[in-house]
Coordinates of all heavy atoms in Angstrom, one line a residue:
V552 N 0.5 -8.0 -14.6 CA 1.9 -8.0 -14.2 C 2.5 -6.8 -14.8 O 2.6 -6.7 -15.9 CB 2.5 -9.3 -14.7 CG1 4.0 -9.4 -14.2 CG2 1.8 -10.5 -14.2
T553 N 3.1 -6.0 -13.9 CA 3.7 -4.7 -14.2 C 5.2 -4.8 -14.0 O 5.7 -5.6 -13.2 CB 3.1 -3.7 -13.5 OG1 3.3 -3.8 -12.1 CG2 1.5 -3.5 -13.9
A554 N 6.0 -3.9 -14.6 CA 7.4 -3.7 -14.5 C 7.6 -3.2 -13.1 O 7.3 -2.2 -12.7 CB 7.9 -2.8 -15.5
P555 N 8.6 -3.9 -12.2 CA 8.9 -3.4 -10.9 C 9.9 -2.3 -10.9 O 10.0 -1.6 -9.9 CB 9.5 -4.6 -10.4 CG 10.1 -5.4 -11.5 CD 9.1 -5.3 -12.6
F556 N 10.5 -2.1 -12.1 CA 11.5 -0.9 -12.3 C 11.6 -0.5 -13.7 O 11.3 -1.4 -14.5 CB 12.8 -1.2 -11.5 CG 13.5 -2.4 -12.0 CD1 14.3 -2.4 -13.2 CD2 13.5 -3.6 -11.3 CE1 15.0 -3.5 -13.6 CE2 14.2 -4.7 -11.7 CZ 14.9 -4.7 -12.9
A557 N 12.2 0.6 -13.9 CA 12.5 0.9 -15.4 C 13.7 0.1 -15.9 O 14.7 0.0 -15.2 CB 12.9 2.3 -15.4
G558 N 13.5 -0.5 -17.0 CA 14.6 -1.3 -17.6 C 14.3 -1.8 -19.0 O 13.4 -1.3 -19.6
T559 N 15.0 -2.8 -19.4 CA 14.9 -3.5 -20.8 C 14.3 -4.9 -20.6 O 15.0 -5.7 -19.8 CB 16.2 -3.5 -21.5 OG1 16.7 -2.1 -21.6 CG2 16.0 -4.1 -22.9
V560 N 13.3 -5.3 -21.4 CA 12.8 -6.6 -21.4 C 13.9 -7.4 -22.1 O 14.2 -7.2 -23.3 CB 11.5 -6.8 -22.0 CG1 11.0 -8.2 -22.0 CG2 10.5 -5.9 -21.3
T561 N 14.6 -8.5 -21.5 CA 15.8 -9.1 -22.0 C 15.3 -10.6 -22.4 O 16.1 -11.2 -23.1 CB 17.0 -9.1 -21.1 OG1 16.5 -9.8 -19.9 CG2 17.5 -7.8 -20.7
G562 N 14.0 -10.9 -22.2 CA 13.7 -12.4 -22.5 C 12.4 -12.6 -22.1 O 11.9 -12.2 -21.0
I563 N 11.6 -13.2 -23.1 CA 10.1 -13.5 -22.8 C 10.0 -14.9 -22.7 O 10.4 -15.7 -23.6 CB 9.2 -12.9 -23.8 CG1 9.3 -11.3 -23.7 CG2 7.8 -13.4 -23.6 CD1 8.4 -10.7 -24.8
K564 N 9.5 -15.5 -21.6 CA 9.4 -17.0 -21.3 C 7.9 -17.5 -21.4 O 7.8 -18.8 -21.1 CB 10.1 -17.3 -20.1 CG 11.5 -16.8 -20.1 CD 12.1 -17.0 -18.7 CE 13.7 -16.7 -18.7 NZ 14.0 -15.3 -19.1
A565 N 6.9 -16.7 -21.6 CA 5.5 -17.2 -21.6 C 4.9 -16.5 -22.8 O 5.2 -15.3 -23.1 CB 4.9 -16.8 -20.2
R566 N 3.8 -17.3 -23.3 CA 3.1 -16.8 -24.4 C 1.6 -16.7 -24.1 O 1.1 -17.4 -23.2 CB 3.4 -17.7 -25.7 CG 4.8 -17.8 -26.1 CD 5.3 -16.4 -26.6 NE 6.6 -16.5 -27.2 CZ 7.7 -16.2 -26.6 NH1 7.5 -15.7 -25.4 NH2 8.9 -16.2 -27.1
A567 N 0.9 -15.9 -24.9 CA -0.6 -15.8 -24.7 C -1.2 -17.3 -24.8 O -0.8 -17.9 -25.8 CB -1.2 -14.8 -25.6
G568 N -2.1 -17.6 -23.9 CA -2.7 -18.9 -24.1 C -2.2 -19.9 -23.2 O -2.6 -21.0 -23.1
E569 N -0.9 -19.7 -22.7 CA -0.3 -20.7 -21.9 C -0.8 -20.7 -20.4 O -1.1 -19.5 -19.9 CB 1.3 -20.5 -22.0 CG 1.8 -20.8 -23.3 CD 3.3 -20.6 -23.3 OE1 4.0 -20.1 -22.3 OE2 4.0 -21.1 -24.2
T570 N -0.9 -21.7 -19.7 CA -1.2 -21.8 -18.4 C 0.0 -21.8 -17.6 O 1.0 -22.6 -17.8 CB -1.9 -23.0 -18.0 OG1 -3.1 -23.1 -18.8 CG2 -2.3 -23.1 -16.5
V571 N 0.2 -20.8 -16.6 CA 1.4 -20.8 -15.7 C 1.0 -21.0 -14.3 O -0.1 -20.9 -13.9 CB 2.1 -19.5 -15.9 CG1 2.6 -19.2 -17.3 CG2 1.2 -18.3 -15.6
G572 N 2.2 -21.5 -13.7 CA 1.9 -21.6 -12.2 C 2.6 -20.4 -11.3 O 3.4 -19.7 -11.9
K573 N 2.1 -20.4 -10.1 CA 2.8 -19.2 -9.3 C 4.2 -19.4 -9.2 O 4.7 -20.5 -8.9 CB 2.1 -19.4 -7.9 CG 2.5 -18.3 -6.9 CD 1.8 -18.4 -5.6 CE 2.2 -17.3 -4.7 NZ 1.5 -17.5 -3.3
G574 N 4.9 -18.3 -9.4 CA 6.3 -18.3 -9.4 C 7.0 -18.7 -10.7 O 8.2 -18.6 -10.7
Q575 N 6.3 -19.1 -11.7 CA 7.0 -19.4 -13.0 C 7.4 -18.1 -13.6 O 6.6 -17.1 -13.7 CB 5.9 -20.2 -13.8 CG 6.5 -20.6 -15.2 CD 5.5 -21.4 -16.0 OE1 4.7 -22.1 -15.4 NE2 5.6 -21.4 -17.2
P576 N 8.6 -18.1 -14.2 CA 9.2 -16.9 -14.9 C 8.2 -16.6 -16.1 O 7.9 -17.4 -16.9 CB 10.6 -17.3 -15.3 CG 10.9 -18.4 -14.4 CD 9.7 -19.1 -14.1
L577 N 8.0 -15.3 -16.3 CA 7.3 -14.8 -17.4 C 8.2 -14.0 -18.4 O 8.2 -14.2 -19.6 CB 6.2 -13.8 -16.9 CG 5.1 -14.5 -16.0 CD1 4.0 -13.3 -15.7 CD2 4.3 -15.5 -16.7
C578 N 9.2 -13.3 -17.8 CA 10.1 -12.6 -18.7 C 11.4 -12.1 -17.7 O 11.2 -12.2 -16.5 CB 9.5 -11.4 -19.3 SG 9.2 -10.0 -18.2
S579 N 12.4 -11.7 -18.4 CA 13.5 -11.1 -17.7 C 13.5 -9.6 -17.8 O 13.2 -9.1 -18.9 CB 14.8 -11.7 -18.2 OG 14.8 -13.1 -18.0
L580 N 14.0 -8.9 -16.9 CA 14.0 -7.4 -16.9 C 15.3 -6.9 -16.4 O 15.8 -7.5 -15.3 CB 12.9 -6.8 -16.2 CG 12.7 -5.3 -16.2 CD1 12.3 -4.9 -17.7 CD2 11.6 -4.9 -15.3
A581 N 16.1 -6.1 -17.1 CA 17.4 -5.6 -16.6 C 17.5 -4.1 -16.8 O 17.1 -3.5 -17.8 CB 18.5 -6.4 -17.4
D582 N 18.1 -3.4 -15.9 CA 18.5 -2.0 -16.0 C 19.9 -2.0 -16.6 O 20.9 -2.1 -15.9 CB 18.4 -1.3 -14.7 CG 18.9 0.1 -14.7 OD1 19.1 0.6 -15.8 OD2 18.8 0.8 -13.7
L583 N 20.0 -1.8 -17.9 CA 21.3 -2.0 -18.6 C 22.0 -0.7 -18.4 O 23.3 -0.7 -19.0 CB 21.1 -2.3 -20.0 CG 20.3 -3.6 -20.3 CD1 20.1 -3.9 -21.8 CD2 21.1 -4.8 -19.6
S584 N 21.7 0.2 -17.8 CA 22.5 1.4 -17.4 C 23.4 1.1 -16.1 O 24.3 1.9 -16.0 CB 21.6 2.7 -17.2 OG 20.9 2.5 -16.0
R585 N 23.0 0.0 -15.6 CA 23.9 -0.4 -14.4 C 24.6 -1.8 -14.8 O 24.1 -2.8 -14.4 CB 23.0 -0.6 -13.2 CG 22.4 0.8 -12.6 CD 21.5 0.5 -11.5 NE 22.2 -0.3 -10.4 CZ 21.6 -1.2 -9.6 NH1 20.4 -1.3 -9.7 NH2 22.3 -1.9 -8.7
L586 N 25.7 -1.6 -15.5 CA 26.5 -2.8 -15.8 C 27.8 -2.9 -15.0 O 28.3 -1.9 -14.6 CB 26.9 -2.8 -17.3 CG 25.6 -2.8 -18.3 CD1 26.2 -2.6 -19.7 CD2 24.9 -4.2 -18.2
V587 N 28.1 -4.2 -14.8 CA 29.4 -4.4 -14.0 C 30.1 -5.5 -14.9 O 29.6 -6.3 -15.7 CB 29.1 -4.9 -12.6 CG1 28.5 -3.7 -11.9 CG2 28.4 -6.2 -12.5
V588 N 31.3 -5.7 -14.5 CA 32.1 -6.8 -15.0 C 32.2 -7.8 -13.9 O 32.7 -7.4 -12.8 CB 33.6 -6.4 -15.6 CG1 34.3 -7.6 -16.0 CG2 33.3 -5.5 -16.7
V589 N 31.9 -9.0 -14.1 CA 32.0 -10.1 -13.0 C 33.1 -10.9 -13.3 O 33.3 -11.5 -14.5 CB 30.7 -10.9 -12.9 CG1 30.9 -12.0 -11.8 CG2 29.5 -10.0 -12.6
A590 N 34.2 -11.0 -12.5 CA 35.4 -11.8 -12.8 C 35.7 -12.5 -11.5 O 35.2 -12.3 -10.4 CB 36.5 -10.8 -13.0
K591 N 36.5 -13.6 -11.8 CA 36.9 -14.5 -10.7 C 38.4 -14.2 -10.5 O 39.3 -14.4 -11.5 CB 36.7 -16.0 -11.1 CG 35.1 -16.2 -11.0 CD 34.8 -17.7 -11.2 CE 33.2 -17.9 -11.1 NZ 32.8 -17.7 -9.8
V592 N 38.8 -14.1 -9.4 CA 40.2 -13.9 -8.9 C 40.8 -15.1 -8.1 O 40.1 -15.5 -7.2 CB 40.4 -12.6 -8.1 CG1 41.9 -12.3 -7.8 CG2 39.7 -11.4 -8.9
P593 N 41.9 -15.7 -8.5 CA 42.5 -16.7 -7.6 C 42.6 -16.2 -6.2 O 42.9 -15.1 -5.9 CB 43.8 -16.9 -8.3 CG 43.8 -16.5 -9.7 CD 42.8 -15.4 -9.6
V594 N 42.3 -17.1 -5.3 CA 42.4 -16.7 -3.9 C 43.8 -16.3 -3.4 O 43.9 -15.3 -2.7 CB 42.2 -18.1 -3.0 CG1 42.3 -17.8 -1.5 CG2 40.6 -18.5 -3.2
R595 N 44.8 -16.8 -4.0 CA 46.2 -16.4 -3.7 C 46.5 -14.9 -4.0 O 47.4 -14.3 -3.5 CB 47.3 -17.2 -4.4 CG 47.3 -17.1 -5.9 CD 48.3 -18.1 -6.6 NE 48.3 -17.9 -8.0 CZ 47.5 -18.6 -8.8 NH1 46.6 -19.4 -8.3 NH2 47.6 -18.4 -10.1
E596 N 45.6 -14.3 -4.9 CA 45.8 -12.9 -5.4 C 44.7 -12.0 -4.9 O 44.9 -10.7 -5.0 CB 45.8 -12.9 -6.9 CG 47.0 -13.6 -7.6 CD 46.9 -13.6 -9.0 OE1 45.8 -13.4 -9.6 OE2 48.0 -13.7 -9.7

């Protein structure tokens, strides 16, 4: 399993010796150079 893009490993969810199923998360990967602020705006505004 290789990195699909350049980034930072932000969480590991599987360990050596564990049995996993197809589609099961192994780790999280994020490009932290591309950050945004996610906010919620009232519909009236």
Side-chain angles (χ1 to χ4, degrees):
V552 180
T553 59
F556 56 82
T559 303
V560 178
T561 57
I563 296 178
K564 301 175 174 60
R566 298 292 183 267
E569 293 181 347
T570 300
V571 296
K573 182 178 180 179
Q575 181 174 331
L577 300 176
C578 72
S579 301
L580 185 65
D582 180 0
L583 298 182
S584 67
R585 293 177 52 210
L586 293 177
V587 299
V588 177
V589 179
K591 292 185 178 295
V592 182
V594 171
R595 65 180 180 277
E596 296 177 334

